[in-house]
Amino acid sequence: MNFRPRPASQVDVNLTPLIDVVFLLLIFFMVSTTFTKETHLDIDLPEASAKPAEQQEQDRIEVVINATGGYSVNGRALVNSEAATLGKAISEIAGTERTQAFVITADAKTPHQSVVTAMDTAGQLGFIHLSITTSEPTGDE
């Protein structure tokens, strides 16, 4: 028996389909990505300390939020807790002046959404000086 070795065939790996798939994936991810423009509202958060901050009562809009999420603007309670009602009440008090201090006072058990709604309304109306009030810490913690 005469066994002749077979000639070794050369193995080629074609990279063209691999490159095509990579480019298609790249195009897919580029097209399906969503780009959102986020608006930011600068917030001045005071630290709670033993020394109270200086009070400036004039030219100040104060929004008080109770534990159930009800709003009160400069001591006047609103009929409902909707953002449109809050925006209208703030606009009536502020007029065209947007450089006034805007103070949000919320109960410790206030729903977070109510505070965010008040902040969002202030940002949409164009207020630039936003403060959130805190209370002095007690020593029984």
Side-chain angles (χ1 to χ4, degrees):
M1 274 195 159
N2 189 3
F3 291 110
R4 283 186 259 150
R6 288 188 174 176
S9 62
Q10 194 171 15
V11 178
D12 285 335
V13 177
N14 191 0
L15 294 178
T16 305
L18 178 67
I19 293 171
D20 288 344
V21 169
V22 169
F23 280 130
L24 285 175
L25 285 174
L26 178 67
I27 291 170
F28 172 76
F29 286 121
M30 287 174 54
V31 169
S32 65
T33 302
T34 58
F35 298 100
T36 59
K37 180 182 177 187
E38 296 181 11
T39 58
H40 297 283
L41 181 63
D42 292 330
I43 300 172
D44 182 21
L45 293 175
E47 293 181 8
S49 65
K51 178 182 170 188
E54 296 177 14
Q55 297 290 329
Q56 295 179 351
E57 294 298 326
Q58 71 279 5
D59 296 335
R60 170 176 145 165
I61 296 176
E62 184 172 8
V63 175
V64 179
I65 310 169
N66 63 12
T68 61
Y71 296 106
S72 173
V73 180
N74 282 2
R76 193 177 84 197
L78 301 182
V79 293
N80 59 26
S81 299
E82 295 180 10
T85 306
L86 179 64
K88 187 175 180 181
I90 294 169
S91 294
E92 286 177 4
I93 292 173
T96 59
E97 183 66 31
R98 298 296 187 245
T99 58
Q100 300 172 350
F102 191 91
V103 180
I104 298 175
T105 304
D107 187 79
K109 298 192 184 333
T110 298
H112 187 66
Q113 181 61 48
S114 299
V115 177
V116 170
T117 301
M119 292 168 48
D120 187 40
T121 303
Q124 289 176 358
L125 291 175
F127 285 92
I128 56 174
H129 301 291
L130 178 63
S131 299
I132 297 176
T133 58
T134 61
S135 62
E136 196 172 306
T138 59
D140 48 310
E141 287 184 19

